[in-house]
Amino acid sequence: MAEIVVRIHDLVKRYKDIVAVDHLDLDIKEGEIFGLLGPNGSGKTTTIHCLLSLLSYESGDITIFGKPMTPTSYDIKKDIGVVMQNVAVFDQLTVYENIDFFCSMYVKDKKKRVELVKEAIEFTGLEDFTDFYPKKLSGGLLRRLNIACGIAHKPRLIFFDEPTVAVDPQSRNKILEGIIELNKNGSTIIYTSHYMEEVEQICTRIAILDGGRKIAEGTKEELKQIVKVTETIEIETAAIENSVLCEIRGAEHILSAEYSDHTLTVCCSGGSHNLMSVLEILKNRNVMIGQVYSKLPTLNDVFLEVTGKELRDREG
């Protein structure tokens, strides 16, 4: 059974009269890429800051690697890497010097550090930019430098807070591939993003926070079982009679059927042959059809259903 790397028990954090984290319980296992999601004011950022012992809190317990996490838990912190959304590097240092500086905070042996910095540079694809200063780097390369600084000491636990914001698709793919590779090499990852497709692509388990509470948790497959609409069918057709709509609405597993702008939209709940059932009704009623689409629920659908908010609203 996998070790619990991070355990949060009954965590409460207040800002005067505002409860930012409300009796939160969370376990993150070794080897996971754990997605932590939440809309504006969900308490996600506050939770991360409490985890890193950057904030005090009213009550609750936080353990990392089986030990209590405190501001002076340097034995724990040496095995943690942090890649925050805001790039944190020194403009006065080159790419190599930046990575070496951050690595030196954890690794004092200069000979060992040379090898670690080299590996971090190769891992992030910065070999051709080691003598560049940050101001000369593109947004994507700057993000890669930020990651190299956070992971050069080979931490067991790495926090990634929206690492792909405002980067080009090629750099985004490079970053995501790098995170998966870090995980394969033994690092447990805590990942936050407002790009739901990224979370679907790389996260093994996900928790959704809202109002400081955990309102949903599981694999992406488990979370998708929460949503009421399990399939949305769209069928292009020039015309459709109300009697046909009524027949479709009365079929098993059909939640709704609406016709607008030459498109029949059918929402289903459960069932594995909904599309075939709808097409059979249309065929029997001699309805001419064009293109047909069937869409299964996404994590964004789950997020919207459990929070009532769009993820892209941005959280604080």
Side-chain angles (χ1 to χ4, degrees):
M1 187 173 180
E3 174 192 354
I4 301 297
V5 172
V6 175
R7 170 159 284 167
I8 301 174
H9 176 64
D10 204 27
L11 182 66
V12 177
K13 171 61 182 176
R14 293 187 178 90
Y15 294 103
K16 295 184 179 180
D17 295 332
I18 299 173
V19 182
V21 182
D22 191 359
H23 299 279
L24 179 64
D25 291 307
L26 200 64
D27 285 348
I28 299 172
K29 298 177 183 178
E30 183 179 21
E32 289 191 306
I33 302 180
F34 192 91
L36 194 58
L37 305 179
N40 189 35
S42 65
K44 174 179 66 68
T45 300
T46 300
T47 297
I48 291 175
H49 287 170
C50 290
L51 271 174
L52 293 170
S53 208
L54 300 175
L55 283 176
S56 60
Y57 43 90
E58 277 63 38
S59 61
D61 299 297
I62 294 175
T63 59
I64 297 181
F65 308 131
K67 301 177 182 178
M69 181 64 166
T70 70
T72 57
S73 297
Y74 302 117
D75 59 327
I76 298 175
K77 293 182 178 182
K78 68 179 177 61
D79 287 322
I80 297 176
V82 182
V83 181
M84 302 304 285
Q85 177 182 350
N86 296 322
V87 175
V89 295
F90 294 100
D91 289 336
Q92 301 86 353
L93 302 180
T94 65
V95 164
Y96 186 96
E97 291 167 342
N98 263 291
I99 300 170
D100 182 61
F101 172 80
F102 283 100
C103 190
S104 71
M105 298 173 68
Y106 305 91
V107 181
K108 301 305 178 185
D109 187 325
K110 291 184 179 179
K111 186 176 180 181
K112 183 179 180 181
R113 204 163 65 236
V114 167
E115 186 62 30
L116 289 173
V117 171
K118 179 185 176 183
E119 289 180 13
I121 288 169
E122 292 174 351
F123 184 80
T124 50
L126 292 171
E127 296 96 327
D128 296 333
F129 307 95
T130 54
D131 294 328
F132 281 49
Y133 288 91
K135 289 184 178 179
K136 295 294 185 180
L137 300 176
S138 67
L141 290 173
L142 199 56
R143 290 281 174 188
R144 292 194 214 173
L145 172 59
N146 202 40
I147 291 171
C149 291
I151 59 96
H153 60 294
K154 293 193 173 179
R156 292 172 57 194
L157 173 65
I158 310 175
F159 290 80
F160 283 94
D161 184 17
E162 297 198 60
T164 64
V165 169
V167 301
D168 60 274
Q170 183 178 1
S171 294
R172 174 174 289 129
N173 290 335
K174 178 73 175 177
I175 290 169
L176 295 178
E177 289 169 2
I179 291 171
I180 293 171
E181 189 64 26
L182 285 168
N183 180 247
K184 287 180 179 178
N185 291 339
S187 295
T188 299
I189 310 292
I190 297 178
Y191 187 82
T192 73
S193 177
H194 280 91
Y195 299 110
M196 197 63 81
E197 64 275 11
E198 292 181 0
V199 177
E200 289 214 45
Q201 180 180 341
I202 71 171
C203 291
T204 55
R205 203 156 55 91
I206 302 152
I208 300 174
L209 307 185
D210 196 21
R213 289 181 173 270
K214 180 178 67 179
I215 58 174
E217 182 181 1
T219 65
K220 59 187 177 183
E221 291 80 11
E222 290 168 344
L223 290 176
K224 287 176 183 178
Q225 294 176 8
I226 295 173
V227 295
K228 189 176 182 181
V229 176
T230 59
E231 182 181 13
T232 301
I233 299 167
E234 292 185 352
I235 301 173
E236 293 181 359
T237 178
I240 191 167
E241 297 178 0
N242 285 331
S243 59
V244 179
L245 279 177
C246 290
E247 185 175 349
I248 294 172
R249 288 167 182 160
E252 189 177 9
H253 303 302
I254 303 301
L255 289 173
S256 65
E258 305 296 336
Y259 180 71
S260 178
D261 296 327
H262 304 293
T263 301
L264 169 65
T265 303
V266 182
C267 295
C268 311
S269 177
S272 56
H273 303 289
N274 301 310
L275 177 58
M276 296 304 297
S277 298
V278 172
L279 291 176
E280 185 68 20
I281 292 172
L282 296 177
K283 178 183 176 182
N284 292 339
R285 298 295 294 269
N286 297 316
V287 176
M288 299 296 293
I289 64 173
Q291 296 190 47
V292 177
Y293 307 91
S294 175
K295 187 184 77 167
L296 297 176
T298 65
L299 277 182
N300 199 58
D301 296 324
V302 176
F303 192 92
L304 185 59
E305 184 154 319
V306 299
T307 67
K309 303 165 187 175
E310 290 286 352
L311 184 59
R312 300 290 174 89
D313 285 346
R314 301 287 177 183
E315 107 298 336

